[in-house]
């Protein structure tokens, strides 16, 4: 059974940092590009960042460029998102997802940025 | 950035009726790199269609996708009770990847 399990969310003050993790199982993680997508409360889906299977190429939405860093550990089947200089507008559920045509998604982890 | 505009914002229909959802792109994004997702309340998005018209694994054949260039359509041939949800289109041919704002299909 394919599973993507996010962790690391929580409440953080503006300007703070969090590191999200996504543990993958049930498929060959090292062969798949991966993405982070977020959804603010009551709002739509927004792509945040993506990384190719070998980790050499990454991409970011303009809203997070320079603040967030995506990475992966293929030996541990884990995807990461390091989030620095967090703002109130980063408050959202963060989903990890596999390459798009495959369509595996986790259940999400909530990040709340508030003082 | 490719802006995706979904219409209508809300579609009110009865079970058994046909639903037609539109997704229009602000510019061509190369080929048919468009996906459709269904999201029910409190759940993660579920991939329905990729490559504009290819059904994802396990998706019933009442769901179909069509279109190319800048105009794409998701059709649900006969609505089942579990199909009442929000639907999003997504383009992945240009960076950054972008989503449409969503269409809510509600029970009339």
């Amino acid at each position: 059974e394919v599973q993507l399990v996010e962790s690391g969310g929580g409440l953080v003050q503006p300007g703070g940092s969090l590191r999200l993790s996504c543990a993958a199982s049930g498929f060959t993680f090292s062969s798949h590009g991966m993405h982070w997508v977020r959804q603010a409360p009551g709002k739509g889906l927004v792509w945040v960042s993506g990384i190719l299977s070998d980790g050499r190429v990454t991409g970011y939405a303009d809203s997070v460029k320079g603040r967030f860093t995506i990475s992966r550990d293929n030996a541990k089947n884990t995807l990461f998102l390091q989030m620095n200089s967090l703002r109130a507008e980063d408050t959202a559920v963060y989903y990890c997802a596999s390459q798009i045509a495959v369509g595996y998604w986790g259940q999400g982890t909530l990040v709340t940025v508030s003082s | 950035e490719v802006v995706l505009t979904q219409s209508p914002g809300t579609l009110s229909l009865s079970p058994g009726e046909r639903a037609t959802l539109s997704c229009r792109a602000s510019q061509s994004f190369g080929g048919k790199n468009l996906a459709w997702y269904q999201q029910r309340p409190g759940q993660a998005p579920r991939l329905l269609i990729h490559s504009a018209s290819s059904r994802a694994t396990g998706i019933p054949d009442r769901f179909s996708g069509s279109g190319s260039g800048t105009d794409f359509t998701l059709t649900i041939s006969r609505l089942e009770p579990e199909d009442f949800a929000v639907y999003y289109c997504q383009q992945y041919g240009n960076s950054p990847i972008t989503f449409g704002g969503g269409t809510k299909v509600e029970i009339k």
Side-chain angles (χ1 to χ4, degrees):
Chain A
E1 179 194 5
V2 170
Q3 280 198 312
L4 291 171
V5 179
E6 302 94 337
S7 60
L11 175 63
V12 61
Q13 291 189 339
S17 297
L18 278 177
R19 189 192 198 203
L20 305 184
S21 299
C22 172
S25 60
F27 67 104
T28 308
F29 177 76
S30 60
S31 298
H32 287 248
M34 297 293 295
H35 301 271
W36 288 98
V37 175
R38 70 185 181 186
Q39 187 170 35
K43 302 296 185 181
L45 301 171
V46 176
W47 177 80
V48 173
S49 183
I51 186 168
L52 291 188
S53 58
D54 61 5
R56 294 185 181 185
V57 179
T58 60
Y60 299 91
D62 285 347
S63 59
V64 308
K65 204 172 289 184
R67 300 189 298 124
F68 290 11
T69 303
I70 190 172
S71 62
R72 63 192 297 159
D73 183 338
N74 284 345
K76 296 184 177 179
N77 291 342
T78 305
L79 177 72
F80 301 101
L81 186 68
Q82 177 67 43
M83 305 188 296
N84 299 331
S85 304
L86 283 161
R87 306 167 180 167
E89 54 265 34
D90 295 319
T91 294
V93 173
Y94 285 73
Y95 296 100
C96 70
S98 68
Q99 59 196 43
I100 290 158
V102 174
Y104 304 144
W105 286 64
Q107 285 304 304
T109 187
L110 176 62
V111 171
T112 304
V113 184
S114 175
S115 54
Chain B
E1 172 176 316
V2 177
V3 176
L4 298 178
T5 301
Q6 291 188 242
S7 61
T10 302
L11 198 51
S12 298
L13 294 168
S14 301
E17 289 194 294
R18 181 185 187 90
T20 303
L21 287 67
S22 173
C23 177
R24 178 163 290 177
S26 59
Q27 62 191 79
S28 180
F29 46 88
K32 294 190 173 185
N33 293 316
L34 187 109
W36 289 94
Y37 296 86
Q38 176 194 70
Q39 189 177 34
R40 298 173 178 142
Q43 295 188 14
R46 173 193 182 199
L47 178 69
L48 300 174
I49 301 287
H50 65 86
S51 308
S53 59
S54 297
R55 264 189 305 276
T57 302
I59 300 303
D61 61 7
R62 66 180 180 273
F63 292 92
S64 63
S66 62
S68 62
T70 60
D71 288 308
F72 299 85
T73 300
L74 174 70
T75 301
I76 311 171
S77 59
R78 292 178 314 280
L79 284 164
E80 298 287 342
E82 62 268 28
D83 298 337
F84 292 92
V86 180
Y87 293 83
Y88 295 94
C89 59
Q90 176 201 40
Q91 69 79 23
Y92 50 101
N94 269 20
S95 184
I97 292 169
T98 50
F99 287 90
T103 290
K104 182 178 181 180
V105 178
E106 66 176 22
I107 299 176
K108 187 175 182 179

